[in-house]
Amino acid sequence: QGNMAFTGKYEFEGDENYDDFVKKIGLPSDKIEMGRNCKIVTEVVQNGNDFTWTQHFPGGHTTTNTFTIGKEADMETMGGKKFKAIVKMEDGKIVADFPNYHHTAEICGGKLVEVSSQISRLVYKNQPTNQKNP
Protein backbone atom coordinates (compact mmCIF):
# COMPACT_ATOMS: atom_id res chain seq x y z
CA GLN A 1 0.00 0.00 0.00
CA GLY A 2 1.31 3.41 -0.95
CA ASN A 3 1.77 6.44 1.24
CA MET A 4 -1.56 7.97 0.21
CA ALA A 5 -3.56 4.74 -0.12
CA PHE A 6 -6.53 6.04 1.89
CA THR A 7 -6.82 9.57 0.48
CA GLY A 8 -10.14 10.07 -1.27
CA LYS A 9 -13.88 10.73 -1.00
CA TYR A 10 -16.09 7.69 -0.51
CA GLU A 11 -19.87 7.59 -0.72
CA PHE A 12 -21.78 5.08 1.39
CA GLU A 13 -22.73 2.05 -0.70
CA GLY A 14 -24.20 -0.55 1.66
CA ASP A 15 -24.02 -2.19 5.06
CA GLU A 16 -24.39 -5.56 6.74
CA ASN A 17 -25.91 -6.08 10.20
CA TYR A 18 -26.23 -2.32 10.78
CA ASP A 19 -29.28 -2.40 13.06
CA ASP A 20 -27.94 -5.22 15.21
CA PHE A 21 -24.56 -3.50 15.63
CA VAL A 22 -25.81 0.02 16.47
CA LYS A 23 -28.27 -1.36 19.03
CA LYS A 24 -25.49 -3.39 20.69
CA ILE A 25 -23.24 -0.33 20.99
CA GLY A 26 -26.11 1.70 22.47
CA LEU A 27 -26.66 4.28 19.72
CA PRO A 28 -29.85 6.28 20.37
CA SER A 29 -32.76 5.55 18.01
CA ASP A 30 -32.64 9.00 16.36
CA LYS A 31 -28.97 8.40 15.44
CA ILE A 32 -29.83 4.88 14.23
CA GLU A 33 -32.44 6.35 11.88
CA MET A 34 -30.03 9.07 10.73
CA GLY A 35 -27.41 6.50 9.85
CA ARG A 36 -29.61 3.91 8.19
CA ASN A 37 -29.05 3.83 4.43
CA CYS A 38 -28.19 7.52 4.39
CA LYS A 39 -25.61 8.70 1.95
CA ILE A 40 -22.74 9.34 4.34
CA VAL A 41 -19.69 10.65 2.51
CA THR A 42 -16.37 9.79 4.14
CA GLU A 43 -13.47 12.00 3.19
CA VAL A 44 -9.96 10.86 4.06
CA VAL A 45 -6.80 12.93 3.77
CA GLN A 46 -3.64 10.94 4.42
CA ASN A 47 -0.20 12.50 4.67
CA GLY A 48 2.18 9.69 5.60
CA ASN A 49 1.01 8.54 9.05
CA ASP A 50 -1.18 11.62 9.62
CA PHE A 51 -4.89 11.31 8.86
CA THR A 52 -7.93 13.57 8.80
CA TRP A 53 -11.04 11.38 8.65
CA THR A 54 -14.29 13.27 8.08
CA GLN A 55 -17.81 11.87 7.79
CA HIS A 56 -20.39 14.16 6.18
CA PHE A 57 -23.96 13.26 7.13
CA PRO A 58 -27.09 14.48 5.31
CA GLY A 59 -28.41 17.66 6.89
CA GLY A 60 -24.97 19.17 7.38
CA HIS A 61 -23.72 17.20 10.44
CA THR A 62 -20.02 16.40 10.22
CA THR A 63 -17.71 14.34 12.43
CA THR A 64 -13.95 14.78 11.98
CA ASN A 65 -11.19 12.75 13.62
CA THR A 66 -7.55 13.73 13.17
CA PHE A 67 -4.94 11.18 14.20
CA THR A 68 -1.40 9.95 13.66
CA ILE A 69 -0.72 6.23 13.40
CA GLY A 70 0.80 4.96 16.66
CA LYS A 71 0.01 8.07 18.75
CA GLU A 72 -2.86 8.69 21.14
CA ALA A 73 -5.52 11.00 19.67
CA ASP A 74 -8.74 12.64 20.81
CA MET A 75 -11.53 10.96 18.87
CA GLU A 76 -15.31 11.19 18.58
CA THR A 77 -17.88 8.50 17.74
CA MET A 78 -20.69 9.13 15.26
CA GLY A 79 -22.92 9.37 18.32
CA GLY A 80 -20.84 12.29 19.60
CA LYS A 81 -19.04 10.46 22.42
CA LYS A 82 -15.47 11.72 22.92
CA PHE A 83 -12.66 9.30 23.80
CA LYS A 84 -8.92 8.73 23.41
CA ALA A 85 -7.49 6.01 21.19
CA ILE A 86 -4.23 4.91 19.64
CA VAL A 87 -4.86 4.20 15.97
CA LYS A 88 -2.62 1.49 14.50
CA MET A 89 -1.80 0.24 11.02
CA GLU A 90 -1.91 -3.56 10.73
CA ASP A 91 -1.46 -5.31 7.37
CA GLY A 92 -2.55 -2.20 5.47
CA LYS A 93 -5.64 -1.74 7.67
CA ILE A 94 -6.30 1.16 10.01
CA VAL A 95 -7.26 -0.30 13.39
CA ALA A 96 -8.80 1.51 16.37
CA ASP A 97 -10.68 0.56 19.50
CA PHE A 98 -13.72 2.79 20.04
CA PRO A 99 -15.43 2.83 23.48
CA ASN A 100 -17.49 -0.30 22.82
CA TYR A 101 -16.38 -1.65 19.46
CA HIS A 102 -13.28 -2.54 17.45
CA HIS A 103 -12.99 -0.73 14.11
CA THR A 104 -10.91 -1.48 11.02
CA ALA A 105 -10.75 0.34 7.69
CA GLU A 106 -9.03 -0.71 4.50
CA ILE A 107 -9.05 0.02 0.79
CA CYS A 108 -10.30 -2.93 -1.30
CA GLY A 109 -10.70 -2.59 -5.04
CA GLY A 110 -10.74 1.20 -4.77
CA LYS A 111 -13.47 1.12 -2.11
CA LEU A 112 -13.22 2.08 1.54
CA VAL A 113 -14.33 -0.91 3.63
CA GLU A 114 -14.97 -0.30 7.32
CA VAL A 115 -15.68 -3.15 9.72
CA SER A 116 -16.88 -2.55 13.27
CA SER A 117 -17.25 -5.42 15.67
CA GLN A 118 -18.55 -5.26 19.18
CA ILE A 119 -16.02 -5.86 21.90
CA SER A 120 -17.21 -8.59 24.20
CA ARG A 121 -17.84 -7.30 27.69
CA LEU A 122 -17.92 -9.63 30.65
CA VAL A 123 -19.12 -8.47 34.05
CA TYR A 124 -18.61 -10.51 37.19
CA LYS A 125 -20.25 -9.77 40.50
CA ASN A 126 -18.58 -10.36 43.81
CA GLN A 127 -19.62 -13.69 45.23
CA PRO A 128 -20.24 -13.52 48.97
CA THR A 129 -18.25 -15.99 50.98
CA ASN A 130 -19.10 -17.48 54.34
CA GLN A 131 -16.84 -15.82 56.86
CA LYS A 132 -17.16 -18.70 59.37
CA ASN A 133 -13.57 -19.63 59.92
CA PRO A 134 -12.93 -22.34 62.52
Side-chain angles (χ1 to χ4, degrees):
Q1 295 253 351
N3 196 26
M4 310 300 260
F6 283 89
T7 295
K9 247 186 176 176
Y10 306 93
E11 185 178 342
F12 175 81
E13 187 176 80
D15 61 54
E16 296 170 24
N17 303 321
Y18 172 80
D19 284 292
D20 191 39
F21 171 72
V22 291
K23 284 181 184 136
K24 280 182 180 165
I25 65 167
L27 206 61
S29 56
D30 62 323
K31 299 269 194 231
I32 292 173
E33 283 305 317
M34 185 174 90
R36 183 183 291 112
N37 295 319
C38 76
K39 295 295 181 203
I40 298 170
V41 174
T42 300
E43 193 172 356
V44 181
V45 177
Q46 178 183 0
N47 184 4
N49 283 332
D50 298 326
F51 286 81
T52 301
W53 198 283
T54 305
Q55 289 186 300
H56 302 278
F57 298 89
H61 176 71
T62 299
T63 300
T64 300
N65 285 310
T66 303
F67 57 89
T68 300
I69 298 297
K71 294 185 181 171
E72 187 176 73
D74 291 312
M75 307 279 277
E76 184 180 345
T77 68
M78 68 180 191
K81 191 181 291 180
K82 295 191 185 318
F83 67 101
K84 290 188 182 296
I86 296 175
V87 182
K88 299 186 219 78
M89 184 73 76
E90 296 174 1
D91 300 323
K93 293 181 184 181
I94 291 173
V95 179
D97 286 320
F98 278 66
N100 42 11
Y101 60 96
H102 182 75
H103 188 80
T104 65
E106 65 180 315
I107 302 298
C108 284
K111 294 181 181 184
L112 174 65
V113 178
E114 295 182 289
V115 177
S116 298
S117 53
Q118 186 184 15
I119 296 171
S120 177
R121 183 170 170 224
L122 302 175
V123 179
Y124 295 89
K125 70 177 185 176
N126 191 0
Q127 186 176 20
T129 57
N130 271 339
Q131 297 298 326
K132 295 180 182 172
N133 290 331

